[in-house]
């Protein structure tokens, strides 16, 4: 009686399903002589209207779930980041560069910011993973059920929400899961201690004669961390130093005249000489270091650079020791879902998930030097060696300024545990002859627990360093109150001189936590045959949505006072709600004419009422022109308003520190006429130099309650070509353009300094007001990096895709090339100078050409696959940078980059499948002078060659 119930449900509930389906805009012609068949209507990404076949009204790139999981990568985000349309802004390798982000894998379409990429699961929103933001961690996606991933650019805001400025990434999960699916993967790097493990189990079963289905999936994955010293390529320290051969000079107006010789050169075995793990000090023009027994001797500072703070092949601070290529990480992902057909008009569904991820970031230890004020050691300190006492006496010193990298006090460790819960309850069905409906409620919550270990307590450290010897010979803290509180004196002279007891006294573990909540109510209807025009039926969909977003971050109460070495974060809380109504229409204008097989008009509009900014309207309009059975063209134009998120609006002014800052008003950096004049207007002398070029600069970063919504305009124009004379060949090409006015951006500290003085029209107070200098010395004191509405951001380029499937040697070959040409990506920072911009296309993180090529061959029980990533050569300096200084360095960019992966698998008759693979098959090195841990280099593989094997079983 129910033998065809699944097919029946699939056809009927296609009118209401929110699952997306697609094959990159492929369409299929039906011969008029063939017998009529029933064509299932499905919902495609970028539209809520049900359509026949996989015809996407907007450009869609589709990656199968199988392709994403058949790799040695730790998670699907690592694989997706290799797609040309996505930037590797947050990968496992570079996620630890910010506080509280270790282990996150977040998607960034077009590299225009994670806040502008909307991530959906089965067409529904997902709770964020980072406080104050809308960013979703791909570690929360159940890979065992992943059917495909669709990526859309163009017009997505009107359909899904205004935060889909650059597009949508929709994770489509499998439906009606039956049987058992087990998989286990183990990976091992050829070099270093890195290894990973992944295991997953899925079980699903029909019940009630096929009217219902229930399924459960469990996954666990983990990886070991890896330090830069664990690999040959990354263990050698390097640093940029002034080039003594550069003969640049200033003309009579103070403007630099460049000689074409690099101003700076990168040297191996080079580093800062003004700080050491065993401590050092500068006395009467000489640097002194300490041996393990505490004795003092002249430090080897041979081959110094012209700044006097760096040296080569000498005694220097090796910062490579503190670079982690990969974090220690694990995740547990539990999912369940079920559906039940109450009647032919009503289907109930429910979903639930629990995800726990743990990521660890290991950073530098606390340190004291010119950057962070040296430790003041008194002459009667109990730990002073007789040689140091003699040096102080000879120079008539009552106190000594000691610089020290406190490695033996323990490196600072951040442990992040995220727990994500998400529940969906809904109903879908049909009414009337052509109407479908869906309604659901969704609740999601992410909790972050953050422990910052080896966090130095400044007052305890100060008391412990002031050690004296009592008459009985005991060494104690001088301060009697501190002594009574348990103060343990600390010896800072020589490496590994800090005892375990001293470490316990001077360090603490700080605990902070945050909570993110999302509540969504959605109801929609659709009708793919609302009424008939001469060219065909008009499709329609409409709906309403209520959404509330909440975020709260509670810092460690003690650390927030500034009493520890850790940043003094402040309490943050914010929320907003939005009520939305949306509608979409698809109308056939022409059909069955010469050169017009079909011409469709698509339009969508979404009105939103935000509790923060008020009303916002997004809309799109497009044409879909099928010229004939082989060729189709499409175009979409859209406008949207994106409201600032919670962090952008409500984020408090948190303490931070900026290292490697170059003051544009310093003598060596003041290399344009605009800078010379603008720095003079700030009252800075022409011969101004920095006291310490390597010093960190204190900063504040946070939100801005005065932000307004950003406005975006985007359009795409493209074609799809499927020649009949080459069966299995499909070609797509789409030109896209995105313009964002009043773009919300947190401008980097270095950019704030530069933009303050780089405008030809004079000082730009939008940025100068964020910089505080010492009133007398003009040295930098504070840089504030709040969220701002900058003038504009724009990006434009071409996406292309070629797919060709064909029979070969008794098997089947599938091939695909997905690529992007980035024509331009510009940031317009000056509201009053709309013609001034920074061109980032072709620079690191924004390669002009990027592509991903894949092959898969199946023959009987055997399958073999190959995937190659290509990244074009990139520059490290923009055209605007080079206009100011055309010869800044001998390291001007990274060369073109190829990375290839291969896998072979065999399927046994008993359901067991075994696969072996190699990621980074040719052991491709990182670009020179990179370690793959920054925002712009996260795409480059820093693990090296990785071997893995997978065993799976289905029944």
């Amino acid at each position: 009686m129910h033998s065809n119930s699944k097919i029946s449900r699939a056809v009927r509930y296609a009118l209401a399903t929110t699952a997306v389906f697609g094959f990159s805009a492929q369409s299929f012609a039906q011969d008029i002589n063939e017998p009529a068949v029933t064509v299932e209507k499905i919902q495609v990404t970028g539209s809520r209207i049900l359509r026949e076949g996989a015809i996407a009204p907007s450009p869609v790139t589709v990656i199968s779930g199988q392709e994403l999981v058949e790799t040695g990568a730790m998670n699907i985000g690592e694989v997706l980041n290799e797609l040309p349309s996505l930037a590797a802004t947050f990968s496992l390798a570079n996620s630890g560069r910010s506080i509280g982000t270790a282990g996150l894998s977040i998607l960034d379409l077009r590299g225009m910011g994670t806040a502008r990429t909307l991530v959906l699961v089965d067409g529904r929103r997902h709770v964020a993973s980072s406080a104050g933001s809308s960013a979703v961690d791909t570690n929360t996606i159940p890979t065992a059920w992943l059917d495909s991933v669709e990526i859309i650019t163009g017009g997505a805001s009107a359909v899904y929400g205004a935060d889909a400025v650059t597009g949508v990434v929709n994770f489509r999960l499998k439906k009606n899961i039956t049987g058992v699916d087990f998989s286990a993967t183990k990976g091992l790097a050829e070099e270093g201690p890195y290894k990973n493990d992944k295991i997953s189990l899925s079980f699903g079963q029909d019940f009630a004669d096929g009217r219902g289905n229930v399924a459960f999936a469990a996954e666990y994955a983990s990886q070991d961390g890896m330090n830069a010293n664990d690999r040959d390529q990354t263990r050698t320290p390097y640093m940029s130093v002034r080039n003594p051969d550069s003969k640049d000079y200033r003309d009579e107006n103070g403007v630099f005249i460049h000689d074409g010789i690099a101003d700076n050169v990168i040297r191996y075995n080079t580093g800062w000489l003004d700080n050491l793990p065993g401590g050092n000090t500068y006395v009467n023009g000489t640097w002194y270091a300490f041996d393990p027994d505490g004795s003092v001797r002249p430090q080897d500072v041979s081959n110094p650079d012209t700044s006097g703070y760096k040296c080569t092949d000498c005694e220097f601070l090796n910062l490579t020791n503190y670079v982690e290529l990969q974090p220690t990480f694990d995740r547990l992902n539990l999912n369940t879902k079920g559906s039940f057909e109450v009647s032919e008009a009503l289907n109930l569904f429910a979903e639930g998930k629990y995800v726990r991820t743990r990521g660890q970031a290991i950073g530098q230890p606390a340190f004291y030097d010119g950057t962070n004020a040296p430790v003041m050691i008194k002459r009667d300190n109990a730990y002073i060696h007789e040689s140091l006492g003699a040096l102080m006496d000879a120079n008539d010193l009552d106190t000594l300024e000691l610089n020290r990298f406190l490695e033996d006090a323990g490196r600072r460790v951040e442990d992040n545990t995220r727990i994500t819960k998400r529940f969906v309850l809904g109903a879908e069905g049909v009414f009337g002859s052509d109407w479908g409906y869906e309604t659901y409620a969704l609740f999601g919550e992410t909790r972050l627990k953050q422990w910052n270990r080896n966090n130095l307590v400044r007052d305890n450290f100060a008391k412990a360093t002031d050690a004296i010897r009592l008459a009985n010979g005991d060494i104690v803290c001088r301060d009697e109150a501190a002594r009574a509180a348990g103060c343990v004196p600390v010896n800072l002279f020589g490496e590994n001189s800090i005892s375990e007891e001293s470490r316990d006294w001077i360090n603490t573990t700080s605990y902070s936590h945050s909570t993110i909540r999302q509540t969504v109510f959605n109801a929609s209807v659709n009708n793919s045959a609302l009424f008939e025009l001469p060219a065909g039926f008009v499709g329609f969909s409409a709906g309403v949505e209520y959404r509330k977003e909440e975020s709260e971050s509670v810092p460690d109460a003690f650390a927030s006072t500034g009493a520890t070495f850790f940043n003094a974060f402040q309490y943050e809380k914010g929320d907003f709600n939005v009520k939305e109504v949306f509608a979409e229409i698809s109308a056939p204008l022409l059909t069955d004419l010469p050169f017009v097989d079909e011409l469709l008009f698509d339009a969508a509009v979404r009105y939103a009422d935000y509790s923060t900014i008020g009303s916002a309207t997004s809309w799109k309009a497009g044409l879909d022109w099928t010229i004939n059975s082989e060729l189709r063209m499409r175009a979409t134009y859209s406008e949207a308003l994106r409201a600032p998120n919670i962090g952008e609006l409500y984020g408090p002014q948190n303490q931070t520190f900026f290292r490697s800052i170059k003051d544009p008003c310093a003598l060596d950096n003041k290399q344009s006429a605009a800078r010379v004049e603008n720095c003079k207007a700030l009252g800075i002398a022409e011969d101004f130099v920095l006291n310490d070029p390597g010093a960190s600069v204190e900063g504040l970063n946070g939100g801005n309650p005065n932000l307004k919504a950003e406005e975006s305009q985007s359009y795409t124009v493209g074609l799809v070509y499927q020649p009949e004379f080459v069966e299995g060949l499909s070609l797509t090409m789409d030109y896209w353009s995105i313009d964002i006015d009043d773009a919300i951006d947190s401008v980097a500290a270095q950019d704030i300094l530069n933009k303050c003085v780089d405008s030809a029209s004079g000082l730009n107070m939008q940025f100068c007001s964020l910089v505080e200098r010492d009133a007398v010395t003009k040295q930098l004191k504070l840089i504030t990096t709040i969220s701002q509405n900058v003038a504009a951001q724009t990006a434009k380029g071409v996406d292309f895709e070629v797919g060709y499937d064909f029979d070969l040697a008794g098997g089947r070959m599938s091939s695909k090339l997905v690529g992007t040409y980035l024509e331009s990506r510009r940031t317009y920072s000056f509201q009053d100078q709309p013609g001034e911009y920074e061109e980032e296309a072709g620079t690191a993180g924004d390669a002009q050409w990027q592509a991903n090529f894949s092959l898969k061959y199946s023959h009987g029980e055997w399958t073999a696959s190959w995937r190659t990533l290509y990244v074009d050569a990139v520059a490290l300096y923009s055209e605007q940078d080079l206009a100011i200084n055309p010869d800044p360095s001998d390291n001007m960019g990274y060369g073109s980059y190829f990375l290839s992966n291969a896998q072979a698998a065999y399927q046994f008759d008993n359901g067991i499948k075994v696969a072996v693979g190699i990621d980074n098959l040719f052991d491709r090195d990182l670009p020179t002078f990179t370690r793959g841990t920054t925002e712009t280099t996260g795409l480059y593989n820093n693990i090296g060659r990785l071997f893995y094997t997978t065993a799976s079983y289905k029944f």
Side-chain angles (χ1 to χ4, degrees):
M1 177 178 177
H2 295 285
S3 60
N4 294 321
S5 63
K6 287 187 179 179
I7 297 174
S8 174
R9 282 206 312 275
V11 173
R12 294 184 63 80
Y13 294 132
L15 290 170
T17 183
T18 57
V20 291
F21 182 89
F23 300 99
S24 288
Q26 297 178 6
S27 59
F28 303 89
Q30 182 180 350
D31 193 292
I32 59 173
N33 295 320
E34 291 182 358
V37 296
T38 300
V39 181
E40 182 182 352
K41 291 184 174 68
I42 56 175
Q43 187 175 333
V44 296
T45 305
S47 173
R48 295 179 184 270
I49 299 174
L50 287 307
R51 300 165 190 263
E52 296 181 352
I55 302 175
S58 297
V60 179
T61 297
V62 180
I63 308 297
S64 71
Q66 187 177 22
E67 186 177 348
L68 289 171
V69 299
E70 289 183 346
T71 172
M74 184 62 186
N75 61 39
I76 54 179
E78 304 294 288
V79 184
L80 286 173
N81 279 338
E82 294 183 359
L83 291 176
S85 57
L86 286 161
T89 304
F90 275 96
S91 64
L92 282 176
N94 65 15
S95 64
R97 70 182 189 274
S98 299
I99 295 172
T101 59
L104 287 177
S105 180
I106 297 174
L107 303 178
D108 183 2
L109 269 171
R110 308 300 178 193
M112 298 186 77
T114 58
R116 301 184 179 98
T117 300
L118 179 58
V119 173
L120 304 174
V121 178
D122 282 337
R124 305 182 188 102
R125 286 181 177 266
H126 194 286
V127 64
S129 304
S130 181
S133 78
S134 59
V136 176
D137 184 5
T138 59
N139 286 296
T140 62
I141 306 300
T143 58
W145 289 347
L146 187 60
D147 188 49
S148 63
V149 179
E150 291 91 359
I151 301 171
I152 176 176
T153 296
S157 292
V159 178
Y160 297 111
D163 40 355
V165 173
T166 55
V168 166
V169 180
N170 185 59
F171 291 90
R172 180 186 177 222
L173 305 183
K174 298 174 183 176
K175 291 183 173 293
N176 297 318
I177 296 164
T178 57
V180 174
D181 189 344
F182 172 81
S183 176
T185 300
K186 188 169 187 63
L188 181 66
E190 183 178 51
E191 182 186 16
Y194 178 86
K195 64 177 183 294
N196 63 37
D197 298 276
K198 296 178 288 184
I199 186 169
S200 69
L201 173 67
S202 170
F203 171 76
Q205 181 175 326
D206 287 341
F207 64 92
D209 294 327
R211 293 168 58 196
N213 180 266
V214 63
F216 172 79
E219 303 172 24
Y220 179 77
S222 65
Q223 72 169 32
D224 291 343
M226 183 164 60
N227 184 272
N229 286 318
D230 294 325
R231 295 199 60 205
D232 285 339
Q233 188 200 355
T234 56
R235 69 168 55 103
T236 304
Y238 58 84
M239 188 167 281
S240 176
V241 300
R242 292 290 299 168
N243 185 1
D245 295 329
S246 176
K247 305 301 181 186
D248 293 353
Y249 66 94
R250 294 179 181 274
D251 63 14
E252 62 277 7
N253 297 316
V255 178
F256 261 77
I257 303 299
H258 297 274
D259 58 3
I261 299 174
D263 295 342
N264 298 279
V265 292
I266 296 184
R267 295 283 184 260
Y268 284 111
N269 294 312
T270 299
W272 299 106
L273 61 82
D274 60 340
N275 205 329
L276 294 175
N280 65 350
T281 186
Y282 189 70
V283 178
N284 198 20
T286 301
W287 282 100
Y288 291 89
F290 298 92
D291 286 328
D293 64 354
S295 60
V296 69
R297 56 169 175 78
Q299 179 182 343
D300 178 8
V301 292
S302 54
N303 306 311
D305 80 330
T306 55
S307 73
Y309 289 92
K310 306 172 187 176
C311 61
T312 302
D313 294 325
C314 57
E315 284 186 273
F316 61 87
L317 178 62
N318 186 359
L319 294 177
T320 301
N321 295 333
Y322 315 109
V323 175
E324 300 300 312
L325 301 180
Q326 290 285 328
T328 298
F329 175 82
D330 71 71
R331 75 171 182 269
L332 173 67
N333 197 321
L334 305 176
N335 285 264
T336 185
K337 65 178 180 176
S339 63
F340 184 75
E341 180 185 354
V342 178
S343 69
E344 291 190 347
L346 174 62
N347 187 59
L348 302 178
F349 60 88
E351 303 172 10
K353 73 162 50 174
Y354 172 91
V355 182
R356 186 211 65 206
T357 64
R358 295 185 296 196
Q360 184 181 78
I362 307 176
Q364 298 175 355
F367 56 89
Y368 283 83
D369 55 19
T371 298
N372 193 37
V375 182
M376 304 306 295
I377 302 295
K378 296 178 181 178
R379 176 63 182 86
D380 64 347
N381 188 287
Y383 292 111
I384 286 181
H385 191 274
E386 60 182 18
S387 59
L388 177 58
L391 177 66
M392 295 180 69
D393 293 342
N395 289 275
D396 197 24
L397 296 177
D398 294 326
T399 58
L400 183 79
E401 293 185 356
L402 179 70
N403 296 342
R404 200 175 193 279
F405 226 64
L406 302 174
E407 183 175 322
D408 45 357
R411 291 177 62 183
R412 287 173 287 166
V413 177
E414 179 178 290
D415 288 317
N416 292 327
T417 296
R418 282 183 177 79
I419 296 176
T420 300
K421 302 174 185 177
R422 181 176 181 264
F423 306 96
V424 181
L425 181 64
E428 59 188 3
V430 296
F431 62 94
S433 58
D434 296 305
W435 286 93
Y437 70 89
E438 181 192 65
T439 182
Y440 64 85
L442 180 158
F443 175 77
E445 180 183 86
T446 298
R447 289 183 179 269
L448 168 64
K449 299 178 181 180
Q450 178 179 314
W451 293 268
N452 291 91
R453 310 186 193 280
N454 295 330
N455 184 16
L456 184 137
V457 181
R458 294 183 184 275
D459 188 60
N460 285 13
F461 180 73
K463 297 293 195 307
T465 58
D466 190 11
I468 61 172
R469 189 183 300 273
L470 298 178
N472 63 3
D474 292 341
I475 298 177
V476 297
C477 303
R478 186 190 305 270
D479 190 295
E480 293 184 4
R483 200 185 312 168
C487 179
V488 179
V490 62
N491 179 7
L492 298 179
F493 303 107
E495 292 189 31
N496 300 313
S497 60
I498 299 179
S499 68
E500 183 176 350
E501 294 77 14
S502 296
R503 285 198 299 271
D504 291 342
W505 167 254
I506 65 176
N507 287 335
T508 187
T509 295
S510 300
Y511 172 74
S512 56
H513 59 94
S514 60
T515 303
I516 312 160
R517 293 189 178 94
Q518 180 186 70
T519 305
V520 179
F521 297 99
N522 182 289
S524 63
V525 296
N526 60 73
N527 189 329
S528 56
L530 184 64
F531 59 87
E532 188 173 10
L533 295 176
F537 287 97
V538 173
F540 171 80
S541 77
V544 294
E545 182 173 287
Y546 171 83
R547 176 166 54 97
K548 185 173 184 178
E549 304 281 357
E550 305 169 81
S551 179
E552 181 183 27
S553 296
V554 182
D556 183 271
F558 183 57
S560 66
T561 65
T564 71
F565 201 84
F566 188 59
N567 299 37
F569 286 111
Q570 303 303 307
Y571 176 77
E572 172 187 329
K573 184 177 183 179
D575 64 74
F576 70 86
N577 65 73
V578 55
K579 307 174 188 70
E580 298 179 280
V581 58
F582 52 87
E584 184 180 359
I585 191 170
S586 177
L589 303 180
L590 299 172
T591 187
D592 296 331
L593 295 174
F595 305 108
V596 184
D597 192 44
E598 184 178 46
L599 180 63
L600 290 174
F601 170 75
D602 289 294
V605 63
R606 192 177 191 99
Y607 173 82
D609 181 15
Y610 286 86
S611 61
T612 50
I613 64 163
S615 62
T617 301
S618 303
W619 64 272
K620 77 161 188 174
L623 289 174
D624 192 339
W625 175 21
T626 302
I627 299 172
N628 53 41
S629 59
E630 296 182 319
L631 184 61
R632 187 163 68 94
M633 299 189 69
R634 58 195 176 194
T636 301
Y637 176 83
S638 65
E639 293 188 1
L641 285 175
R642 183 182 80 84
N645 61 36
I646 293 173
E648 291 167 337
L649 273 177
Y650 303 117
Q653 300 296 297
N654 286 319
Q655 182 188 40
T656 188
F657 293 92
F658 304 111
R659 195 165 176 85
S660 302
I661 290 292
K662 295 181 179 179
D663 190 332
C665 289
L667 183 64
D668 289 344
N669 301 322
K670 201 189 307 178
Q671 300 192 1
S672 70
R675 282 190 179 180
V676 169
E677 291 302 315
N678 289 332
C679 291
K680 186 184 300 182
L682 289 172
I684 298 175
E686 292 186 7
D687 58 351
F688 172 71
V689 295
L690 298 177
N691 290 341
D692 182 357
S696 294
V697 179
E698 185 178 359
L700 293 174
N701 60 11
N704 181 356
N706 298 316
L707 287 175
K708 56 185 178 180
E710 61 182 26
E711 303 178 21
S712 68
Q713 304 86 38
S714 65
Y715 67 88
T716 63
V717 179
L719 60 85
V720 181
Y721 181 51
Q722 295 173 289
E724 294 180 349
F725 62 87
V726 183
E727 184 180 353
L729 177 64
S730 174
L731 302 95
T732 69
M733 182 175 294
D734 291 279
Y735 180 85
W736 52 269
S737 174
I738 303 171
D739 291 356
I740 306 173
D741 295 324
D742 293 323
I744 300 170
D745 195 11
S746 182
V747 184
Q750 186 65 64
D751 290 336
I752 288 174
L753 291 173
N754 294 347
K755 295 176 191 304
C756 168
V757 296
D758 277 350
S759 177
S761 61
L763 293 174
N764 188 285
M765 297 313 297
Q766 179 184 2
F767 298 101
C768 292
S769 63
L770 303 175
V771 180
E772 182 182 343
R773 294 178 180 271
D774 185 276
V776 177
T777 67
K778 300 302 180 182
Q779 299 289 325
L780 292 168
K781 287 184 61 178
L782 184 72
I783 305 173
T784 302
T785 59
I786 61 172
S787 299
Q788 299 183 72
N789 289 108
V790 300
Q793 288 187 22
T794 67
K796 58 185 66 176
V798 178
D799 291 341
F800 55 91
E801 183 173 335
V802 181
Y804 185 34
D805 299 346
F806 55 95
D807 294 327
L808 177 66
R812 185 69 173 172
M813 176 70 80
S814 299
S815 64
K816 181 164 62 176
L817 173 67
V818 179
T820 294
Y821 169 70
L822 182 62
E823 180 182 340
S824 75
R825 197 167 93 73
R826 296 176 177 178
T827 298
Y828 296 79
S829 298
F830 305 121
Q831 298 278 3
D832 57 347
Q833 295 290 323
E836 294 188 25
Y837 61 85
E838 187 88 3
E839 177 62 74
E840 298 174 20
T843 63
D846 290 291
Q848 286 207 290
W849 289 95
Q850 191 172 325
N852 197 299
F853 176 67
S854 61
L855 290 171
K856 186 171 185 178
Y857 181 69
S858 302
H859 190 288
E861 295 80 13
W862 288 94
T863 59
S865 61
W866 179 284
R867 189 175 73 253
T868 294
L869 165 71
Y870 168 73
V871 183
D872 195 14
V874 294
L876 295 179
Y877 301 88
S878 69
E879 294 177 2
Q880 289 68 37
D881 292 332
L882 297 178
I884 296 173
N885 181 6
D887 51 16
S889 173
D890 64 340
N891 182 36
M892 298 295 290
Y894 306 143
S896 57
Y897 181 80
F898 289 88
L899 186 75
S900 296
N901 306 327
Q903 186 196 79
Y906 184 81
Q907 177 72 61
F908 293 92
D909 293 337
N910 59 5
I912 295 176
K913 183 178 181 180
V914 177
V916 293
I918 305 175
D919 285 357
N920 195 356
L921 179 64
F922 301 114
D923 198 20
R924 180 68 161 86
D925 280 345
L926 290 158
T928 305
F929 305 125
T930 65
R931 295 189 174 107
T933 57
T934 68
E935 180 178 348
T936 59
T937 61
L939 182 60
Y940 302 109
N941 179 290
N942 66 9
I943 295 173
R945 186 183 285 125
L946 176 78
F947 301 93
Y948 68 92
T949 182
T950 299
S952 60
Y953 180 49
K954 294 183 180 181
F955 67 91

